[in-house]
Amino acid sequence: MAFLSKTYLTVRYAETDMMGIVHHSRYYPWFEMARTDFIKQCGMSYGEMEKNGILLPLTESHARYLYGLRYEDEVMVTCTLTKLTVARCEFSYEVYKLPQMKLMSSGRTVHGFVNAEFKPINLKKEHRELFDTLKALM
């Protein structure tokens, strides 16, 4: 079974729109928070990855909104690594309303592995230990 990270948050008033529901643009920062937590729980922070010359630019994103969340709703965002190659990775997310554990939204993001000059890298060749760690989490 794949590793699943869990990130908890409370919907802030500034994240809602005139209809009183979370604006669709707010889900992507939540996905980023969940992805950052996922990487941290793997034993390395995003900052450490960047210091080691590994950047993860976004190349694709998708979100599906099933139900609206409102101000002060308690939320859990899960994150899993669903695809991994030597050149890119894909994360999948699910947003649940607590305490009901009702699925409210889902999404995914695709990222390339590049160096500080934004040149594609082969993660398996250049950072074997990280590649193996990520592979083991799938």
Side-chain angles (χ1 to χ4, degrees):
M1 186 165 156
F3 174 71
L4 176 83
S5 72
K6 298 175 182 177
T7 302
Y8 297 90
L9 57 98
T10 302
V11 175
R12 297 173 296 180
Y13 187 79
E15 294 172 317
T16 62
D17 60 18
M18 284 185 70
M19 295 179 286
I21 61 172
V22 173
H23 191 266
H24 65 275
S25 65
R26 302 311 306 152
Y27 286 82
Y28 287 100
W30 294 356
F31 293 170
E32 181 181 354
M33 290 170 58
R35 187 173 61 254
T36 299
D37 285 349
F38 180 95
I39 300 246
K40 192 181 293 182
Q41 291 175 30
C42 295
M44 178 185 286
S45 72
Y46 247 86
E48 289 173 301
M49 284 179 58
E50 290 177 352
K51 286 178 188 171
N52 288 321
I54 308 165
L55 304 177
L56 294 175
L58 182 70
T59 61
E60 185 180 335
S61 63
H62 172 79
R64 183 167 185 223
Y65 311 100
L66 304 170
Y67 302 99
L69 288 162
R70 298 187 176 279
Y71 174 57
E72 293 187 331
D73 280 346
E74 298 294 324
V75 176
M76 178 179 70
V77 184
T78 65
C79 178
T80 57
L81 180 64
T82 48
K83 290 184 185 173
L84 176 68
T85 71
V86 298
R88 65 180 44 112
C89 60
E90 177 182 289
F91 292 94
S92 293
Y93 313 91
E94 292 183 333
V95 178
Y96 293 92
K97 182 177 179 181
L98 300 176
Q100 304 92 325
M101 284 298 293
K102 182 177 182 178
L103 180 63
M104 305 299 280
S105 177
S106 62
R108 67 182 174 84
T109 58
V110 180
H111 305 263
F113 295 117
V114 301
N115 64 20
E117 290 79 40
F118 287 89
K119 302 275 188 214
I121 61 172
N122 180 320
L123 191 68
K124 188 174 182 177
K125 283 185 181 177
E126 296 185 34
H127 300 277
R128 181 65 183 246
E129 186 175 314
L130 178 58
F131 180 84
D132 289 345
T133 297
L134 292 174
K135 189 78 170 167
L137 297 173
M138 294 186 61

